[in-house]
Amino acid sequence: MTDKKQIQEWLNRFMAGTATEMEEQQLADYFCSATDVPEEWLPYAIMFRGFRQQTLGKGTAKTVTMRRWIAAAAAVVLLIVSGTMVWQQQMSQSEDECVAYIYGERITDRDIVICEMQKTMTVVTYDGSDVVEEQLKGMFGIE
């Protein structure tokens, strides 16, 4: 029928409320007949299929009102899905992150963090003792 770029352009205009009736009809035809709708367009497919069911045997005044509600619901669904995806991406990145605070500055460069850790361990074990635990106990007055 039409390419993905054209459909995306029509979707953008539809969500902005500037699509023509012909463009809306083309979108409805695509989403109601396509079997290989991309995952990011599934909410639109549900919405246009709902429009098609609403318009069968009903007046256009109710359809326009329903379109606004359905468009708003689709926008909310898209926000929730995209927010969840961003949150999951942030969570997966933060689990593998190496962080150190050096002189009050947050450092995430793994090489710098490891270098500073090695310097600190050298200072802690400088007195010749092989047992770091004993040094820590001595620093904090634990016997």
Side-chain angles (χ1 to χ4, degrees):
M1 178 187 125
T2 54
D3 63 287
K4 188 174 181 176
K5 187 176 179 181
Q6 181 67 51
I7 293 170
Q8 185 62 55
E9 183 179 319
W10 288 344
L11 282 172
N12 292 341
R13 279 193 256 168
F14 176 80
M15 293 306 289
T18 59
T20 65
E21 276 190 44
M22 186 203 82
E23 292 169 343
E24 288 183 20
Q25 185 61 45
Q26 292 288 334
L27 286 170
D29 290 345
Y30 169 74
F31 285 112
C32 291
S33 64
T35 57
D36 58 336
V37 176
E39 187 174 335
E40 67 266 22
W41 289 351
L42 288 178
Y44 292 112
I46 293 168
M47 180 175 65
F48 279 99
R49 289 174 186 158
F51 288 164
R52 183 67 50 97
Q53 288 177 352
Q54 291 290 324
T55 57
L56 296 176
K58 294 197 175 185
T60 53
K62 288 184 179 179
T63 302
V64 171
T65 304
M66 286 302 292
R67 281 185 185 175
R68 289 184 181 161
W69 281 105
I70 292 172
V76 169
V77 168
L78 289 172
L79 285 172
I80 290 171
V81 168
S82 61
T84 302
M85 290 172 58
V86 168
W87 179 73
Q88 285 178 341
Q89 183 180 20
Q90 289 293 329
M91 290 303 293
S92 67
Q93 286 178 354
S94 66
E95 289 175 4
D96 298 335
E97 192 172 45
C98 186
V99 178
Y101 289 88
I102 303 170
Y103 303 112
E105 182 181 348
R106 185 176 192 263
I107 306 293
T108 58
D109 183 346
R110 187 177 187 85
D111 295 332
I112 293 173
V113 171
I114 290 174
C115 180
E116 288 296 321
M117 181 195 68
Q118 289 172 339
K119 286 181 195 176
T120 302
M121 291 307 294
T122 302
V123 170
V124 170
T125 59
Y126 182 70
D127 70 352
S129 174
D130 291 334
V131 182
V132 175
E133 185 175 272
E134 288 177 4
Q135 291 178 4
L136 290 173
K137 284 181 179 179
M139 285 173 35
F140 292 104
I142 301 171
E143 295 197 36

